[in-house]
Amino acid sequence: MNFGEEAILNLFRKPFTDKYPFGKKKVLDRFRGWIVYHPKKCIGCKLCEKNCPIGAVKFHKKGKIDFDMGLCMLCGQCGDVCPTQAITYSTEFENAKPKKKFTAKTG
Amino acid sequence: MHDYTMPFGPQHPSLKEPINLALELDGNYITGVKMRFGYVHRGVEKIFEGKDVQKVLYVAERVCGICSYAHSSACTRAMEGILGLEAPTRVKLLRTIVAELERLHSHILWAGFGLHEIGFQSMFMLFWRERERVLDILEAITGGRVHHNYNKLGSVRYDLPKGCEELMRKNIAELEENLPGLIKEFEKNSVVLARFKKVGKISRKDAITYGLVGPMARGSGVKSDIRKIDPYEAYDDIRFNEILEEGGDAYARAKVRLTELGESISIIKQCMSLLPPKPAEKWKWPPIKTGEGFGRVEAPRGEDFHYYEIEDNIVTRGKIRTPTLANIMILEKMLIGAEIGDTPVIVASFDPCIGCMERTMVIDKGKKNWFTESEFRRKFCD
Ligand code: SF4
Ligand code: SF4
């Protein structure tokens, strides 16, 4: 590799980095972002609460579950164990929010 | 000329994680070092206790932010040993692919980091551009760029997605095209040679005495690759070389890491050609057992060792020895006699991961700030 050559070639190349705030990067399908909870699908089995490694899930009643997204490490276990796919993961990765908004989205 | 002590860290531009070195100087040369750690101790082993085995797998992955998958595989190996599970061939190959992708990304990250240390910003950027391609593959396979959460006991979370093999082929072809040029430039660039050669020498004897692991040991010609010594996953069926260098200096260690990039690419390609056509089955709940066991894997930085005791699938004791913990004791010896200006290069040549390394902490209470083993047991274990 020749640095002079590389520098001249780079003048004509598109930037490799994303123009982040203006053009959002497209994340891939499997990306685990902010949790989405679907209360209608939930059957109230409590498996998600039992299986969260760090206790970020708080089960109140069927259709009402609190996810502490400040604690959640997006490991994907709750979504894996849910028998009815009532927990899914969005592709949203901008997760810096005020603390009172640290709850899962409902879908 | 005065003798004086200079603090290096915990906040220092060349340190990515906090450690504190009190360097005693005689002019420009270091005559003594006091190391102080404990700034990022998180007590992960304590967090393990009382958790279910599958949960611990996810928490173990959080020990490190670079070689996260290595911790996950060491934990899987230990747990699968205790529970008597054996993963199918395809799962083993998939795990090997992810592990090698992680090695690629970690070594490229190191190369950029080492070059940044000596102020070679343009090459740092060029290396990290290549790293992005690796992260894209990891994201496609596992859904995470840093923490993959890919392993399940006896299985993996999911098989390769549709279109992933094309993406892998494309990105790996790009890596194969771009990396050799960069590595060649690294090897012959006069700035790199001037800053890395003959810096931080470790003799073969010292490497053995201090029990070094990973590229630190291999840079001094000591065989230490767990993939060869104690093969796991699919490494038994795959042909690859253990890279050894004789120099023992920062440059030799850099060369080990950079040569391993080529080996990793070849391992990934072999794994892809070996993949059986039948997709991996969905994961199942593990059987319930009691026992103890350990697992060790070759993380990008060296041997990663996990030990667990489980009782009806609840972890009662966990212990981790990370590669940096095995390596760090030689830092003092390497620094003494070196020039102060070489400190960042010496520290960087470790490829240190301080967050992983903080495994214990001594709390300073009054005059006494140390414990004997029996006192420690009485105070914290019983
Ligand atoms: S993703 Fe993991 S950490 Fe987050 S709520 Fe679900 S189980 Fe808990
Ligand atoms: S695991 Fe699924 S169905 Fe069961 S309580 Fe949780 S969200 Fe509801």
Side-chain angles (χ1 to χ4, degrees), chain B residues 178-198:
Chain B
N178 297 338
L179 279 176
L182 285 169
I183 294 171
K184 220 156 118 204
E185 183 64 34
F186 188 99
E187 282 170 359
K188 69 176 203 322
N189 193 290
S190 51
V191 182
V192 175
L193 291 180
R195 291 301 305 275
F196 277 60
K197 272 242 155 164
K198 300 209 179 76

Side-chain angles (χ1 to χ4, degrees), chain A residues 32 73 75, chain B residues 42 44 48 55-73 75-76 98 102 142 144 146-151 157 306 308 320:
Chain A
R32 284 185 303 276
M73 56 183 183
C75 67
Chain B
R42 292 156 298 169
V44 169
F48 287 162
K55 292 181 186 175
V56 165
L57 211 57
Y58 297 129
V59 182
E61 194 153 353
R62 265 71 188 174
V63 171
C64 185
I66 304 171
C67 44
S68 52
Y69 189 73
H71 286 282
S72 165
S73 22
C75 183
T76 317
V98 177
E102 188 185 73
T142 68
V146 175
H147 289 129
H148 312 299
N149 306 307
Y150 192 51
N151 278 3
R157 170 168 273 148
H306 280 228
Y308 294 98
I320 305 173

Side-chain angles (χ1 to χ4, degrees), chain A residues 1-3 6 10 13-18 25-33 47-55 72-82 85 89 93, chain B residues 51-52 54-55 58-59 62 120 122-123 126 128-129 132-133 136 139-145 147-150 152 157-161 167 181-182 184-185 188-189 282-283 285:
Chain A
M1 194 191 69
N2 186 331
F3 265 98
E6 187 77 14
N10 273 345
R13 279 188 191 141
K14 274 201 299 186
F16 186 79
T17 45
D18 303 308
K25 186 174 161 64
K26 214 178 134 276
V27 292
L28 300 168
D29 304 340
R30 281 185 176 173
F31 182 83
R32 284 185 303 276
L47 273 178
C48 48
E49 191 189 57
K50 277 246 155 47
N51 276 287
C52 177
I54 44 176
C72 171
M73 56 183 183
L74 293 171
C75 67
Q77 179 72 353
C78 52
D80 270 0
V81 295
C82 178
Q85 277 84 45
Y89 301 87
F93 57 87
Chain B
K51 283 199 184 355
D52 178 68
Q54 180 65 53
K55 292 181 186 175
Y58 297 129
V59 182
R62 265 71 188 174
F120 202 157
S122 47
M123 207 137 109
L126 290 174
W128 279 37
R129 181 176 72 190
E132 205 58 28
R133 306 187 207 279
D136 280 346
E139 187 186 341
I141 300 180
T142 68
R145 293 167 79 80
H147 289 129
H148 312 299
N149 306 307
Y150 192 51
K152 294 267 182 187
R157 170 168 273 148
Y158 18 51
D159 210 293
L160 296 181
L167 177 81
L182 285 169
K184 220 156 118 204
E185 183 64 34
K188 69 176 203 322
N189 193 290
K282 199 175 175 295
W283 61 276
W285 292 104

Side-chain angles (χ1 to χ4, degrees), chain A residues 6-73:
Chain A
E6 187 77 14
I8 294 167
L9 280 176
N10 273 345
L11 285 178
F12 303 101
R13 279 188 191 141
K14 274 201 299 186
F16 186 79
T17 45
D18 303 308
K19 290 188 183 134
Y20 167 56
F22 309 109
K24 260 198 196 171
K25 186 174 161 64
K26 214 178 134 276
V27 292
L28 300 168
D29 304 340
R30 281 185 176 173
F31 182 83
R32 284 185 303 276
W34 202 266
I35 288 180
V36 188
Y37 172 52
H38 309 269
K40 281 205 191 100
K41 287 192 197 166
C42 177
I43 52 170
C45 67
K46 267 193 177 183
L47 273 178
C48 48
E49 191 189 57
K50 277 246 155 47
N51 276 287
C52 177
I54 44 176
V57 185
K58 185 111 192 52
F59 181 89
H60 295 296
K61 62 172 196 268
K62 187 173 129 186
K64 182 157 172 29
I65 298 177
D66 275 348
F67 291 84
D68 184 349
M69 294 305 291
L71 201 57
C72 171
M73 56 183 183

Side-chain angles (χ1 to χ4, degrees), chain B residues 111-131:
Chain B
F113 172 55
L115 288 160
H116 164 78
E117 246 17 270
I118 60 172
F120 202 157
Q121 298 294 349
S122 47
M123 207 137 109
F124 155 55
M125 298 286 176
L126 290 174
F127 264 110
W128 279 37
R129 181 176 72 190
E130 302 313 316
R131 178 172 170 257

